[in-house]
Amino acid sequence: MLKFRQMSRSSNGRQKIRKRVVKKEVSSIVSDRRKAVVENITQELATKLSPSIVSLASFDGDKMHFRSTGIVLANSSSGGACVLTSSALVSTSDKERMLTPALKIKLRLPNNEVVGGWIKRYRLPFSMVVIETRFSPDLRAACLNKTVQVEPHSQLLAVKHCFHSGKLMDTRGEPIDGPSEVDSEGFMFSTCKITMDGSGGPLVDFDGNIVGMNDYHDQKFTRYVPTNKILECLRDIWLCVDEMEDLSITFKPFRFTEGCSSRVQGQFMVC
């Protein structure tokens, strides 16, 4: 009996060791997969993109409501900075995305400074919202080029700015070809898998050219607003580029359309 019990304990010990080994192997596999999907962005791209990408978080009291990434549209000492992001930042979590105006908004800048922000424009197509904050010399308006095209099978990066760590991260994928690549709302899709805090972040090519703004949709694919559609929406808010060129305005001002009480000045960079 004593011998049998000893063997039993020895067998249990081997089982425990085997379980620990299997658990460690599974943990290692999961870790490797995560590393393959989410990576630190290259230093070259980080240098190019970092001044134009911020992270945002909204709070209901002390409770965090949502985190997102934003693209800097404008920044000037006289008018402050404007950031484009997903309306999920300030909306209800259902499909309707109803505005929740009482939320407090914070932005983490490229220099890791955390500043307050407020809603500047909400009712934009493609579930986009413009957040305003104070001027920062560390911010630079993103270069949006309406002529940038996404070629089939081209490599794309979905970039996000982490609110807690301040790091730039990317997930990699390709555009989705075929009849379903554009939905009824005009969104296009890529195989870049993002988490919710990647909503509002830029979709870029390997040269760092912004081809769209990501919006978290589901875990299978990521939908995005093409850059040319973003520019069409922004023309309703700011003076169009052609009009500014006709007026020979070198410092590109922008203004809000009728019905908006505030006017701002800054730089809205279109390449």
Side-chain angles (χ1 to χ4, degrees):
M1 289 292 291
L2 289 173
K3 189 175 181 180
F4 176 79
R5 287 176 181 173
Q6 189 174 7
M7 288 176 64
S8 176
R9 285 197 297 269
S10 176
S11 176
N12 288 339
R14 284 196 297 270
Q15 287 179 353
K16 289 178 180 179
I17 293 172
R18 195 176 297 117
K19 284 181 180 180
R20 285 198 295 268
V21 171
V22 171
K23 186 175 180 181
K24 185 176 181 181
E25 289 175 350
V26 171
S27 176
S28 177
I29 291 170
V30 171
S31 177
D32 289 341
R33 284 180 177 174
R34 284 175 179 171
K35 287 179 181 178
V37 175
V38 182
E39 303 177 6
N40 285 309
I41 197 168
T42 64
Q43 186 60 45
E44 183 180 357
L45 276 181
T47 301
K48 181 176 182 178
L49 296 173
S50 179
S52 304
I53 303 176
V54 301
S55 54
L56 306 95
S58 54
F59 296 84
D60 183 2
D62 294 328
K63 182 180 179 181
M64 182 176 288
H65 173 73
F66 197 85
R67 288 176 295 172
S68 70
T69 300
I71 302 171
V72 179
L73 295 177
N75 185 45
S76 84
S77 57
S78 60
C82 284
V83 175
L84 184 71
T85 190
S86 168
S87 63
L89 178 71
V90 291
S91 305
T92 55
S93 57
D94 54 26
K95 291 183 179 180
E96 298 299 323
R97 288 196 179 181
M98 301 297 291
L99 176 64
T100 310
L103 296 173
K104 182 191 299 183
I105 302 170
K106 294 183 180 180
L107 299 87
R108 182 176 291 277
L109 307 182
N111 62 3
N112 275 330
E113 182 183 6
V114 177
V115 298
W118 52 93
I119 301 170
K120 191 65 181 177
R121 189 66 184 264
Y122 179 76
R123 296 188 180 279
L124 293 176
F126 299 105
S127 302
M128 298 188 296
V129 64
V130 175
I131 303 297
E132 188 177 22
T133 188
R134 62 175 177 78
F135 165 77
S136 170
D138 294 301
L139 294 178
R140 182 180 66 219
C143 183
L144 302 178
N145 190 334
K146 60 184 177 182
T147 63
V148 172
Q149 299 293 324
V150 179
E151 301 296 333
H153 308 296
S154 59
Q155 294 296 305
L156 301 174
L157 306 174
V159 183
K160 74 173 182 179
H161 189 271
C162 301
F163 185 80
H164 292 301
S165 69
K167 292 181 179 179
L168 280 182
M169 308 292 287
D170 72 75
T171 56
R172 308 187 177 198
E174 299 179 354
I176 297 177
D177 301 322
S180 62
E181 64 179 343
V182 181
D183 71 359
S184 59
E185 297 178 75
F187 285 99
M188 300 184 73
F189 293 87
S190 79
T191 60
C192 298
K193 294 182 179 180
I194 67 170
T195 50
M196 288 186 181
D197 60 345
S199 292
L203 183 68
V204 304
D205 60 23
F206 268 49
D207 293 322
N209 299 309
I210 298 176
V211 301
M213 187 197 84
N214 297 305
D215 187 66
Y216 183 84
H217 182 61
D218 58 39
Q219 295 182 349
K220 189 176 182 181
F221 301 119
T222 295
R223 66 182 186 180
Y224 69 94
V225 189
T227 299
N228 63 321
K229 296 294 184 182
I230 294 175
L231 292 172
E232 287 177 11
C233 296
L234 295 179
R235 285 167 71 100
D236 294 334
I237 305 176
W238 292 290
L239 274 169
C240 72
V241 179
D242 295 335
E243 184 178 350
M244 290 187 294
E245 290 175 349
D246 291 341
L247 294 172
S248 299
I249 300 175
T250 52
F251 176 73
K252 298 179 179 179
F254 57 83
R255 70 185 179 203
F256 286 88
T257 53
E258 292 182 7
C260 296
S261 58
S262 21
R263 290 172 177 260
V264 194
Q265 288 189 332
Q267 288 184 329
F268 170 34
M269 186 180 295
V270 181
C271 304

